[in-house]
Amino acid sequence: MTKILRKPNLVLTALFIFLLQPSLFAKSDEGHEGAVDTKDEVGEYILHHIKDAHDFHLFSYTDSHGERKHVGFPLPVIVWSSKGLTTFMSSKFHHDDSGHYIVEANGTRFVKLHSKIYELDEGATTVSFDEEHHPTNAHKVLDFSITKSVFGILLVGLLMFIWFAGLARQYKKKKIPTGFGRVLEPLVLYVRDEIARPNIGEKRYREFTGYLLTVFFFIWILNLLGLTPLGFNVTGQLAVTAALAIFTLIIYTFKGNKGYWGHMLWMPGVPYLIRPVLAIIEVAGAFLIKPFSLLVRLFANISAGHIVVMSLIAIMVTMKSEMGAVGATSLSFVLSFFITLIEVLVAFLQAYIFTMLSALFIGMAVEEHDHH
């Protein structure tokens, strides 16, 4: 602990992120309004918070008239329905008499249920459900909306383009970068010299360093954004981590040399009867186990971290009656602060692990095998 406290920048960063956390829990999901004040409501809110959404909900408060106010901003909704392409802002969704979010656009009614958009059948004004609470008079549409995760991906992509384009321009003019480039340079050299070069090899590491740098900074920055009250949980979305794992899979599959495929499909140096069994295991490892381990590790660790932090923050709500407001708030602050401090480190660690494993898998595919 002493070593951690000697790093004031890291402590201040964690404290800043903690203070930005949404300390006032509030429900803004379909059909719910008001403050969250029970354990069941807290659990429902946390699970809803880590999901993707069509708008940003920052925080809520109760005004002097006793009305609940929600602070945030909408995002563009882009869907393809039976009437073709339809676009509108997510702020157009409003509650109908049954408490569901309904919007009329392009001659069609759309309803938002659990963060998914459905198209109501012709003439329907409300949503009907079966015994399992599935809509019976609405069907899903193709959703191309700019959700929180999409917005986060575009934002981080733009930032990375600006930062590294500037760093590249500085390298053309002078050998030593200045300004923010001095922050990026040690990290770039670290990924190149400590991840790409030892795992891929001297001959071909430059070919894949660009991809590894992109993956590392993309995951790391998104992990840090996930600790802010903006509600980003991009790397906690299974679709995003699966896409990253598929990129790595495509690279080491198409860049694999003859030795790689030879060892995978017809392992030399073992009895012929064993080779088909090993081939099945190797193929399963290359196309299933390796990408699955990449996507699940990142998704599970980031999602679990967000759930733990928010659960500890919720102590001030769930244990207020047992410990008092001051005691519950103090305990929540202490526990959440140190877990947030760990999450700052985990944000870097998960980016490092994903990049390291990607470099290792690529290195195994492009390695030159010596046959004696």
Side-chain angles (χ1 to χ4, degrees):
M1 186 60 65
T2 305
K3 293 181 179 180
I4 293 177
L5 294 177
R6 287 176 182 173
K7 300 178 180 179
N9 292 335
L10 185 59
V11 175
L12 290 175
T13 300
L15 180 61
F16 175 72
I17 291 175
F18 169 79
L19 293 175
L20 287 176
Q21 294 289 345
S23 57
L24 182 60
F25 282 72
K27 289 182 291 185
S28 62
D29 197 5
E30 294 88 77
H32 299 286
E33 296 291 338
V36 174
D37 49 17
T38 66
K39 291 182 179 180
D40 292 338
E41 290 175 341
V42 167
E44 179 184 350
Y45 175 85
I46 291 174
L47 293 178
H48 170 69
H49 183 78
I50 64 174
K51 293 180 180 178
D52 202 3
H54 290 84
D55 57 1
F56 279 92
H57 174 237
L58 302 180
F59 63 93
S60 301
Y61 67 95
T62 302
D63 62 14
S64 58
H65 301 288
E67 296 182 359
R68 199 67 178 169
K69 299 294 184 180
H70 303 290
V71 179
F73 54 91
L75 291 171
V77 175
I78 307 170
V79 295
W80 185 274
S81 64
S82 60
K83 299 290 182 67
L85 186 67
T86 303
T87 61
F88 54 90
M89 298 300 292
S90 60
S91 56
K92 281 196 170 184
F93 278 111
H94 61 276
H95 288 94
D96 65 357
D97 295 335
S98 60
H100 299 113
Y101 283 108
I102 299 288
V103 65
E104 294 187 24
N106 196 22
T108 306
R109 288 187 175 91
F110 299 95
V111 60
K112 187 170 67 169
L113 301 172
H114 306 295
S115 300
K116 295 182 180 179
I117 297 177
Y118 296 80
E119 178 185 357
L120 287 175
D121 293 341
E122 189 75 25
T125 56
T126 59
V127 189
S128 301
F129 298 93
D130 56 19
E131 296 179 354
E132 298 179 353
H133 203 68
H134 295 149
T136 58
N137 62 340
H139 55 276
K140 291 183 179 180
V141 296
L142 292 177
D143 193 351
F144 305 102
S145 304
I146 307 298
T147 61
K148 287 195 300 184
S149 294
V150 176
F151 182 84
I153 291 172
L154 295 176
L155 174 62
V156 171
L158 178 62
L159 290 176
M160 290 175 59
F161 179 81
I162 295 173
W163 292 343
F164 289 102
L167 182 62
R169 286 194 298 268
Q170 289 187 7
Y171 274 124
K172 289 182 179 179
K173 297 178 181 179
K174 46 195 171 184
K175 294 183 179 180
I176 300 177
T178 57
F180 191 65
R182 298 183 66 179
V183 178
L184 296 175
E185 185 186 40
L187 296 170
V188 171
L189 295 178
Y190 178 80
V191 173
R192 186 195 69 180
D193 297 336
E194 302 297 331
I195 297 179
R197 180 176 286 171
N199 288 285
I200 299 177
E202 289 288 340
K203 292 183 179 180
R204 303 193 62 180
Y205 79 93
R206 291 181 179 273
E207 184 179 350
F208 305 100
T209 299
Y211 169 72
L212 297 176
L213 285 170
T214 302
V215 169
F216 174 80
F217 282 97
F218 180 79
I219 295 175
W220 185 33
I221 298 171
L222 283 175
N223 288 348
L224 292 177
L225 284 178
L227 297 174
T228 67
L230 293 175
F232 283 119
N233 186 30
V234 181
T235 48
Q237 305 297 327
L238 198 58
V240 175
T241 59
L244 292 172
I246 290 174
F247 283 135
T248 299
L249 168 65
I250 292 174
I251 290 175
Y252 70 69
T253 297
F254 287 94
K255 289 293 184 177
N257 55 30
K258 294 181 180 179
Y260 169 73
W261 289 106
H263 280 72
M264 180 187 298
L265 301 177
W266 200 245
M267 183 74 70
V270 298
Y272 288 101
L273 293 177
I274 305 297
R275 293 185 183 186
V277 178
L278 291 178
I280 296 174
I281 296 174
E282 290 291 330
V283 170
F287 291 95
L288 295 176
I289 299 174
K290 288 179 180 178
F292 185 77
S293 66
L294 285 175
L295 71 94
V296 168
R297 180 181 288 104
L298 180 59
F299 160 77
N301 280 281
I302 298 303
S303 296
H306 292 168
I307 292 173
V308 170
V309 171
M310 296 194 68
S311 298
L312 292 175
I313 294 174
I315 288 177
M316 68 179 69
V317 177
T318 58
M319 300 188 68
K320 186 186 301 183
S321 59
E322 291 85 354
M323 302 181 60
V326 176
T329 302
S330 301
L331 179 62
S332 174
F333 175 82
V334 173
L335 295 178
S336 301
F337 170 73
F338 284 105
I339 291 297
T340 304
L341 182 66
I342 294 174
E343 281 298 300
V344 174
L345 300 176
V346 170
F348 175 85
L349 183 62
Q350 290 304 316
Y352 168 80
I353 291 175
F354 192 99
T355 308
M356 174 67 75
L357 290 178
S358 296
L360 181 62
F361 296 157
I362 294 172
M364 294 169 61
V366 301
E367 178 187 8
E368 297 294 339
H369 298 273
D370 296 326
H371 300 285
H372 300 285

